[in-house]
């Protein structure tokens, strides 16, 4: 019944911007932390950013800090990832996921539900 759907990926030139969306259904939105992960071919899935909905606290990996922002529209059960100053190394499939935890939110094992992913490609 729980479903997470990502959108907004695409092809962008280095230095450009994209905004990803994650729409959640089948859950009580305020009870969850929503995270973004990414995975490039041949690499492990890595944590990018998370937002605690009820606390409105945000967290970022060092690799994207200062370039990415995360926000939520709680009435729409939607989380956004605004990506600025994109680099070729940001190229990956981006996934959103839902966790019941407020700590260790960088650990993918703490997330219970996952979306299908959206491709982001940054050209040099």
């Amino acid at each position: 019944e729980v479903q997470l759907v990502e959108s907004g990926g695409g092809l962008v030139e280095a230095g450009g911007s994209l905004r990803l969306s994650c729409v959640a259904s089948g859950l009580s939105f305020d009870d969850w932390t929503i995270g973004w992960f990414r995975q490039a071919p041949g690499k492990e899935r890595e944590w990018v950013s998370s937002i605690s909905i009820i606390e409105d606290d945000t967290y970022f990996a060092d690799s994207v800090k200062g370039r990415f922002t995360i926000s939520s529209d709680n009435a729409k059960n939607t989380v956004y990832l605004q990506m600025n100053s994109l680099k070729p190394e940001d190229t990956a499939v981006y996934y959103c996921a839902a966790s019941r935890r407020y700590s260790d939110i960088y650990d993918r094992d703490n997330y219970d539900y996952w979306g299908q992913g959206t491709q982001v490609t940054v050209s040099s």
Side-chain angles (χ1 to χ4, degrees), residues 1-112:
E1 181 175 350
V2 174
Q3 188 175 25
L4 304 175
V5 179
E6 305 97 332
S7 63
L11 175 64
V12 65
E13 191 173 280
S17 298
L18 286 172
R19 189 179 75 158
L20 307 183
S21 299
C22 174
V23 180
S25 60
L27 52 78
S28 298
F29 203 54
D30 287 353
D31 293 339
W32 296 81
T33 294
I34 304 297
W36 287 95
F37 291 76
R38 66 188 183 187
Q39 187 166 25
K43 296 184 178 180
E44 296 291 323
R45 188 171 298 188
E46 66 171 340
W47 172 74
V48 175
S49 181
S50 294
I51 180 168
S52 170
I53 301 302
I54 193 167
E55 297 179 3
D56 197 29
D57 290 335
T58 60
Y59 310 89
F60 299 92
D62 289 342
S63 59
V64 305
K65 194 172 298 181
R67 299 189 296 123
F68 292 10
T69 59
I70 189 169
S71 61
S72 66
D73 184 338
N74 295 352
K76 297 181 178 180
N77 275 20
T78 300
V79 168
Y80 304 97
L81 184 69
Q82 178 68 45
M83 305 185 294
N84 299 322
S85 301
L86 283 163
K87 305 174 181 179
E89 50 263 47
D90 295 318
T91 296
V93 176
Y94 283 70
Y95 301 89
C96 67
S99 173
R100 299 300 296 264
R101 294 178 61 93
Y102 298 111
S103 61
D104 296 329
I105 44 78
Y106 51 84
D107 188 344
R108 68 184 184 185
D109 290 338
N110 291 328
Y111 289 80
D112 299 298

